[in-house]
Amino acid sequence: MKRIISGVLAMALVLGGTAALPQGALFGESVITASAAQGNYYGFDYGTYNDGTVELLRYKEDSDTTITIPSEVAGSNKIYFSRELVSYLNYETPATALTIGPQIRDFSSYNVTYTDAFGVIYTYYDGDKGAHPYIIPNGMHELTVSDGLENLLTLSGTPIVAGRTNIEYITLPADLKELGSYSLFGLTNLKRISFPKESKLTLKAIEESQLGYYKKGSSYVKNTSFVIECYKGSAAETYAKQNGFKCWIVDADEQDAFNGLINIAEMDISTPKDKYVCTGKQIKPAIIIKNGSDVLQEDADYTLEYQKNIYVGQGTVTIKGMGDYSGSKVFTFSIIPANVSGFNAFAYSKSATELRWNAVTGADGYIIYKYDDAAKTYKRAAVIEGGKVTQHFFWALKSGTTYKYAIKAFGIAGSSKEVTSAKYPTATVSTKPDTVNFKLTSAKKTVKITWDKVKGAKGYIVYYKTSPNGKWIKLTTTNKTTFKQTGLNRNTTYYYTVKAYRKVNGVQYNGGFTTKSIATK
């Protein structure tokens, strides 16, 4: 779903479908002057005109299952649809839900009447200025009309019937004043209609033979699976009682006594796992709901509405009862960063170590732990900000010393709560040994090398060469602190160095070196 952020639309990210259509957009007439500019707004190609009007020309995100119609584009809320876009929404889009923003105004001068040809749902009236139609594409099955439709007075007439029997769920806005005869008649698959708590509808405004009925042949049939979701004492509750429909009293405990329905929130609800790893895509875990030993079935006993559930923190899914179950429950689960992979430690110098790892999707940073030998546990040593950072150095360390590190990815959830990956990989490394301090003495065809012991070293490697730029030749590897080379040429200069080394977990770490020369006798 494309998320449109604007002051006009931010309050209206709910499912459903609507958009105002001026007469020119419906019938291809020219109603405004030539386009002054073109652009793309969250998937919509649009043109702007000299009078400030915006025409939505086409929608280019063909894979979207939810489309948001903006209430403001390029600073204008004077918007209408091209014939091409209307045709796409009705016959080509894979979307099954359409967002309705607050009222798109300023179309009264076109004096448009509704038409079923493009799927008009309802008409609102603005005094004597005329009627304004709204559309819902053929594939939509859930409609939520947002609050903020200040001029919406009635939902009346029969346009929703033609080609719109696939609608299953409807949520009405608080602004609605009247629900007229046959306005929602004929919806054979309608399962639930929801009324807001602040609904202004009165019993007189809800006329007969519309909610929960459809026509079969010459007879009127009652939809036995139809449920009205409303608040106690409302006109919708009265209508449900008078017509024998199931009614969910969403703010009262006594709803079960009225309907014999079971509150879904009281069921045993769980997921297969306690925590789910962030992947950068929406997470939709399976939901297991039990009534005792009976396992409830989705789309028969309840419906699920998942939030975006993309980022590290808390994922949510809204469970709404249906059939024999009423009410709703917001169920939460944890989304954590993946475990860090590719974690390795390297000896950078005799006093520094280098750590490297692979970036973790969705991470806000990393926590590095260092093993405390005295406490025999890992303790937090550094916090790395930034999920794309994959390297860190520790400085001012002891030479020839073993260090153990561990790492976890973290994400910041609500209220700055730190959420970390489940496990941490470890890496062991040694700083390099100190440079060996050695001295040379010569005798006839002989050179003796002696050196000081280096702390932490396992042994020493002695090298020599016959010229300043020559190749080093290894003489010996020893754990002693002296070595004598014999059989050399007399009165010849030779070059020497000694490296200390140590091994940790099979890895050898060599210290630095200096070069010294001496002539034989």
Side-chain angles (χ1 to χ4, degrees):
M1 172 178 170
K2 299 292 182 183
R3 187 177 183 184
I4 298 181
I5 306 299
S6 72
V8 179
L9 188 60
M11 62 177 283
L13 291 174
V14 290
L15 299 177
T18 186
L21 298 172
Q23 188 174 8
L26 285 173
F27 304 107
E29 298 176 8
S30 177
V31 295
I32 51 182
T33 58
S35 173
Q38 287 191 337
N40 183 277
Y41 188 79
Y42 287 88
F44 287 96
D45 284 343
Y46 68 90
T48 57
Y49 295 80
N50 296 336
D51 65 351
T53 303
V54 171
E55 179 183 14
L56 299 181
L57 303 171
R58 61 192 65 85
Y59 191 70
K60 304 184 73 173
E61 305 294 334
D62 292 339
S63 62
D64 283 354
T65 57
T66 301
I67 298 176
T68 299
I69 302 296
S71 291
E72 181 176 334
V73 176
S76 173
N77 65 356
K78 297 195 296 182
I79 303 170
Y80 74 88
F81 293 79
S82 70
R83 188 184 190 90
E84 178 183 349
L85 179 59
V86 171
S87 176
Y88 171 78
L89 292 176
N90 276 287
Y91 304 113
E92 300 177 40
T93 176
T96 57
L98 194 68
T99 294
I100 302 174
Q103 183 58 59
I104 302 174
R105 303 178 178 82
D106 299 329
F107 288 104
S108 57
S109 60
Y110 297 121
N111 193 25
V112 181
T113 58
Y114 65 78
T115 170
D116 290 343
F118 294 99
V120 173
I121 293 179
Y122 61 84
T123 303
Y124 84 83
Y125 296 87
D126 187 6
D128 297 328
K129 295 182 179 180
H132 298 257
Y134 290 78
I135 68 167
I136 184 169
N138 290 323
M140 302 301 128
H141 64 86
E142 182 165 348
L143 168 66
T144 301
V145 184
S146 303
D147 295 337
L149 306 179
E150 293 87 350
N151 294 320
L152 178 61
L153 301 178
T154 66
L155 178 56
S156 59
T158 61
I160 197 170
V161 177
R164 300 302 180 271
T165 57
N166 52 308
I167 297 295
E168 297 178 343
Y169 307 101
I170 295 178
T171 300
L172 297 175
D175 310 70
L176 191 65
K177 304 295 192 303
E178 179 181 344
L179 199 59
S181 297
Y182 301 100
S183 59
L184 298 175
F185 178 79
L187 301 180
T188 55
N189 291 315
L190 187 62
K191 297 177 181 178
R192 182 175 71 238
I193 185 167
S194 299
F195 292 82
K197 187 173 185 178
E198 41 300 311
S199 173
K200 299 177 176 61
L201 283 171
T202 62
L203 181 61
K204 189 174 182 180
I206 303 178
E207 300 182 17
E208 296 179 355
S209 301
Q210 39 118 8
L211 285 179
Y213 292 91
Y214 61 91
K215 194 171 184 179
K216 186 175 183 180
S218 58
S219 302
Y220 291 93
V221 179
K222 183 178 180 180
N223 187 343
T224 57
S225 63
F226 173 64
V227 176
I228 294 177
E229 184 177 36
C230 60
Y231 287 76
K232 187 171 180 61
S234 66
E237 180 193 8
T238 303
Y239 179 87
K241 291 179 178 179
Q242 290 179 347
N243 289 272
F245 289 113
K246 291 181 179 179
C247 180
W248 296 353
I249 307 299
V250 297
D251 64 343
D253 295 333
E254 59 266 26
Q255 57 183 335
D256 295 343
F258 177 69
N259 302 289
L261 298 178
I262 304 170
N263 190 345
I264 198 76
E266 298 176 358
M267 299 300 98
D268 181 14
I269 303 173
S270 62
T271 55
K273 298 186 295 185
D274 292 333
K275 297 178 180 180
Y276 290 82
V277 173
C278 175
T279 63
K281 298 180 180 180
Q282 184 185 35
I283 297 176
K284 299 172 67 174
I287 302 297
I288 303 168
I289 306 177
K290 291 184 177 181
N291 182 359
S293 60
D294 295 332
V295 179
L296 276 58
Q297 301 300 313
E298 185 178 359
D299 294 328
D301 301 312
Y302 62 90
T303 61
L304 300 176
E305 297 177 4
Y306 292 91
Q307 298 302 310
K308 296 191 73 171
N309 300 340
I310 294 176
Y311 306 106
V312 170
Q314 182 173 273
T316 60
V317 54
T318 300
I319 304 166
K320 292 186 178 181
M322 61 183 297
D324 293 330
Y325 295 87
S326 67
S328 63
K329 180 178 178 63
V330 175
F331 183 80
T332 62
F333 56 93
S334 296
I335 302 176
I336 64 174
N339 297 329
V340 177
S341 64
F343 184 52
N344 285 295
F346 305 91
Y348 187 74
S349 70
K350 68 177 184 179
S351 61
T353 55
E354 177 188 6
L355 307 182
R356 299 177 196 165
W357 60 90
N358 297 326
V360 173
T361 299
D364 291 313
Y366 305 90
I367 303 170
I368 298 177
Y369 304 84
K370 185 190 294 183
Y371 190 77
D372 187 320
D373 291 313
K376 298 186 183 305
T377 187
Y378 284 96
K379 293 186 176 181
R380 183 179 294 208
V383 177
I384 314 302
E385 300 289 344
K388 294 183 179 180
V389 179
T390 58
Q391 183 185 47
H392 184 70
F393 293 88
F394 282 96
W395 307 96
L397 303 178
K398 295 180 180 179
S399 63
T401 304
T402 301
Y403 292 92
K404 298 178 182 179
Y405 299 100
I407 188 170
K408 278 189 175 185
F410 75 86
I412 300 299
S415 301
S416 300
K417 181 180 179 181
E418 192 178 81
V419 180
T420 62
S421 47
K423 298 179 180 180
Y424 51 81
T426 61
T428 301
V429 67
S430 171
T431 49
K432 295 179 180 181
D434 279 330
T435 301
V436 176
N437 178 27
F438 67 96
K439 66 180 181 178
L440 304 173
T441 57
S442 69
K444 184 178 180 180
K445 296 185 179 182
T446 301
V447 173
K448 184 179 181 182
I449 310 106
T450 58
W451 57 88
D452 298 330
K453 189 175 181 179
V454 174
K455 185 177 180 180
K458 180 180 180 180
Y460 307 90
I461 308 170
V462 182
Y463 299 87
Y464 88 105
K465 59 185 177 179
T466 58
S467 64
N469 297 320
K471 184 178 180 181
W472 286 111
I473 302 170
K474 185 167 76 170
L475 286 172
T476 188
T477 299
T478 180
N479 57 6
K480 298 179 180 180
T481 56
T482 183
F483 179 78
K484 183 185 290 186
Q485 185 181 16
T486 61
L488 300 174
N489 295 327
R490 295 190 66 184
N491 301 315
T492 302
T493 300
Y494 292 90
Y495 301 83
Y496 293 88
T497 190
V498 181
K499 287 185 180 180
Y501 75 90
R502 68 192 316 261
K503 287 187 177 181
V504 176
N505 291 345
V507 179
Q508 181 169 307
Y509 300 90
N510 294 332
F513 67 95
T514 58
T515 302
K516 294 182 180 180
S517 64
I518 193 170
T520 56
K521 295 180 180 178

